């Protein structure tokens, strides 16, 4: 489990550089959905829902990347809040906890939180 979580964290934050904080690349949330599904132990229905939720999250993060200053921070916060609210609805408690750890690590690695 720990190895799988570390693999997902690396997948989420792959090729990120702390000096690239707040660059457009930091807001690119494209991930390997297959690895995420394996790490979280998703069933087919959950995988479809998670893909849809993540696609929306990725789009909102890219809109935040195009914004300036405080508006950017607000858009990121809103996107994250919406993402975790929707994921909590789809995932069980164990999956949700793992997802939160991965998301937090990703946001911190990219300098967004």
């Amino acid at each position: 489990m720990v190895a799988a979580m570390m693999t997902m964290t690396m997948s989420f934050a792959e090729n990120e550089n702390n000096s690239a904080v707040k660059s457009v690349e930091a807001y690119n949330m494209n991930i390997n959905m297959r690895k995420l599904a394996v790490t979280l132990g998703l069933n087919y229905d959950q995988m479809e829902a998670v893909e849809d939720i993540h696609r929306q999250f990725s789009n909102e993060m890219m809109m935040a990347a195009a914004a300036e200053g405080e508006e950017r921070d607000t858009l990121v916060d809103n996107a994250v809040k919406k993402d975790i609210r929707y994921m909590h609805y789809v995932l069980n408690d164990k999956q949700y906890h793992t997802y939160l750890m991965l998301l937090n690590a990703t946001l911190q690695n990219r300098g967004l939180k």
Side-chain angles (χ1 to χ4, degrees):
M1 179 74 170
V2 172
M5 286 176 46
M6 293 305 292
T7 301
M8 279 307 302
T9 301
M10 295 303 291
S11 172
F12 266 119
E14 190 173 47
N15 296 325
E16 291 304 321
N17 183 336
N18 284 338
S19 66
V21 172
K22 303 289 183 173
S23 70
V24 174
E25 292 84 24
Y27 294 86
N28 183 350
M29 294 292 150
N30 291 333
I31 60 167
N32 184 328
M33 289 303 295
R34 185 170 169 254
K35 286 183 180 180
L36 180 62
V38 170
T39 300
L40 297 178
L42 301 178
N43 64 36
Y44 183 75
D45 292 332
Q46 285 177 312
M47 188 166 174
E48 283 186 17
V50 166
E51 283 183 72
D52 289 340
I53 294 166
H54 189 73
R55 188 176 308 114
Q56 181 179 356
F57 176 62
S58 294
N59 290 337
E60 291 175 4
M61 290 298 286
M62 292 311 291
M63 286 192 300
E68 297 291 327
E70 288 183 29
E71 181 184 9
R72 177 183 281 187
D73 295 336
T74 301
L75 289 173
V76 169
D77 288 342
N78 290 340
V80 170
K81 287 176 186 175
K82 188 185 297 184
D83 180 61
I84 61 175
R85 185 174 61 238
Y86 291 164
M87 288 295 188
H88 193 238
Y89 180 75
V90 172
L91 304 174
N92 66 36
D93 288 339
K94 183 178 178 183
Q95 292 167 326
Y96 180 69
H97 178 70
T98 303
Y99 180 77
L100 285 179
M101 289 180 5
L102 294 171
L103 181 62
N104 284 330
T106 300
L107 293 173
Q108 287 178 349
N109 287 343
R110 295 180 182 200
L112 300 175
K113 286 289 172 184

